[in-house]
Amino acid sequence: MANGFNLEQQHGKGRVRVSRVWRKAGEDGSDVIVEWSVSISLLSDCLAAYTEGDNSSIVATDTMKNTVYAKAKECREVESAESFGILLAKHFTTFYPQVTTAIISIVEKPWERVVVDGRPHVHGFKLGSEKRTTEVTLKKFGALRLVSGIQGLSLLKTTQSGFEGFVRDLYTLLPETKERMLATELSASWRFHFESIYSVPTNSFFFTRRYENVKSVLVDTFFGPPDSGVYSPSVQNTLHCMAVAVLNRFPDLASIQLRMPNLHFLPVNLSSKDDPNLVKFADDVYLPTDEPHGTIEATLSRPLSKL
């Protein structure tokens, strides 16, 4: 309560870019590199800064930025985005008495090892496409909320997709079809069961393996078997199948949220004033579009789990 009003506040530092290299620290003796964009938000007992102009309890955002670099230097062993986020959150909630909660969000660029002559290079990397994400929320007394995810995973299949039986009214022009292309740019986030920092696995590569495995399940479920594929009656149904497959595979995940915009590939039809007969390119020439696009998203959680 401040001056008769309820005041909720937090402050932090956004988009602190940092890269860390661990020499010959990979499981096969290769170099490991990460590039992170780190955002920090602190909830703290510093109301006087707002109401009285008293900054004595404020942790400067420049201090937060410098802490990211210092803690990255202190990491002698390979750290995942999740474990580094927990490390930062633990520092802010224990080092500063006035900080009650730390929220650390990290977006990781997808640096991937280059393959030369059929073998992964020991120190060569190329930039991939989709990004890895994590958000750590840690309270002073140790309660943890840990969410990981993926952004911008582009998926497309040229067949085995349709859309029929939907609501039709005077505004509906879309024809029903059993044959269309299906493309999306998937964003997914999954919440772990871990509710304290003491329950988090200590293996340096646990979260990286889990990220790669979840990604693999999502992709495999979207496409189906390599020789035949799997039919998609709607983006909604495919999304649900992907979410179910992930939760069935990984019991340490409490919930998963998927966002799958429907990026349309429209069959091209041509006609002219002199030749009104349509030239139809029904199954080979398309107009790719990314807007407007359908927006489909859903969250699947286990019974009694906290969203």
Side-chain angles (χ1 to χ4, degrees):
M1 184 73 70
N3 298 322
F5 299 99
N6 290 323
L7 173 62
E8 297 180 3
Q9 52 76 32
Q10 61 190 63
H11 76 290
K13 196 75 165 181
R15 298 185 180 181
V16 180
R17 295 183 63 184
V18 60
S19 182
R20 180 64 159 95
V21 177
W22 291 275
R23 308 289 178 185
K24 300 180 181 179
E27 292 181 292
D28 60 353
S30 62
D31 287 356
V32 176
I33 182 173
V34 294
E35 182 181 343
W36 292 324
S37 176
V38 181
S39 295
I40 302 161
S41 187
L42 302 182
L43 284 68
S44 60
D45 183 11
C46 59
L47 293 182
Y50 293 86
T51 60
E52 308 296 337
D54 178 0
N55 297 331
S56 60
S57 60
I58 289 289
V59 180
T61 64
D62 184 69
T63 301
M64 299 181 199
K65 176 197 70 177
N66 296 336
T67 301
V68 171
Y69 301 133
K71 292 300 178 182
K73 174 64 176 177
E74 291 175 10
C75 294
R76 303 301 181 187
E77 304 292 332
V78 174
E79 298 282 356
S80 64
E82 291 84 353
S83 59
F84 187 67
I86 291 172
L87 185 152
L88 286 175
K90 185 177 179 181
H91 168 80
F92 287 117
T93 54
T94 58
F95 192 78
Y96 301 102
Q98 68 273 34
V99 174
T100 59
T101 302
I103 303 171
I104 311 295
S105 299
I106 300 177
V107 178
E108 179 176 326
K109 271 193 172 182
W111 286 108
E112 303 168 348
R113 291 174 65 188
V114 171
V115 175
V116 178
D117 292 334
R119 293 185 300 162
H121 201 282
V122 294
H123 60 249
F125 295 83
K126 65 180 178 67
L127 190 61
S129 54
E130 67 274 2
K131 295 178 179 180
R132 178 177 171 180
T133 64
T134 191
E135 183 176 277
V136 176
T137 303
L138 181 65
K139 296 184 181 296
K140 184 178 287 293
F141 58 83
L144 173 70
R145 185 178 189 273
L146 178 57
V147 178
S148 297
I150 189 169
Q151 290 180 350
L153 177 59
S154 297
L155 304 172
L156 179 150
K157 58 183 188 178
T158 58
T159 188
Q160 287 282 56
S161 174
F163 191 48
E164 301 176 281
F166 50 88
V167 174
R168 306 199 67 89
D169 55 38
L170 70 165
Y171 302 111
T172 304
L173 299 177
L174 182 70
E176 299 191 359
T177 182
K178 293 181 185 229
E179 176 59 50
R180 65 173 183 174
M181 292 175 64
L182 178 59
T184 190
E185 189 172 277
L186 170 69
S187 291
S189 59
W190 47 92
R191 184 175 65 82
F192 288 91
H193 269 304
F194 314 129
E195 296 185 348
S196 75
I197 56 176
Y198 307 106
S199 60
V200 175
T202 57
N203 186 298
S204 299
F205 297 97
F206 171 83
F207 287 109
T208 297
R209 290 197 194 101
R210 179 63 75 247
Y211 169 82
E212 293 171 349
N213 291 338
V214 170
K215 175 182 170 183
S216 179
V217 170
L218 290 170
V219 171
D220 291 353
T221 308
F222 179 89
F223 290 111
D227 294 331
S228 59
V230 61
Y231 183 71
S232 170
S234 66
V235 179
Q236 286 87 343
N237 180 256
T238 296
L239 180 154
H240 181 258
C241 290
M242 293 164 70
V244 168
V246 169
L247 292 189
N248 282 342
R249 174 76 177 274
F250 306 109
D252 54 13
L253 301 185
S255 63
I256 183 168
Q257 181 182 62
L258 300 182
R259 296 183 180 90
M260 293 177 59
N262 191 5
L263 307 181
H264 304 294
F265 280 68
L266 307 177
V268 174
N269 296 316
L270 298 180
S271 64
S272 68
K273 182 178 180 181
D274 297 328
D275 185 5
N277 295 322
L278 281 177
V279 179
K280 294 186 177 182
F281 300 85
D283 61 358
D284 49 12
V285 178
Y286 297 85
L287 172 64
T289 66
D290 56 10
E291 56 182 33
H293 60 249
T295 57
I296 295 91
E297 63 180 85
T299 300
L300 195 68
S301 58
R302 302 186 192 278
L304 303 179
S305 72
K306 303 173 184 177
L307 295 179

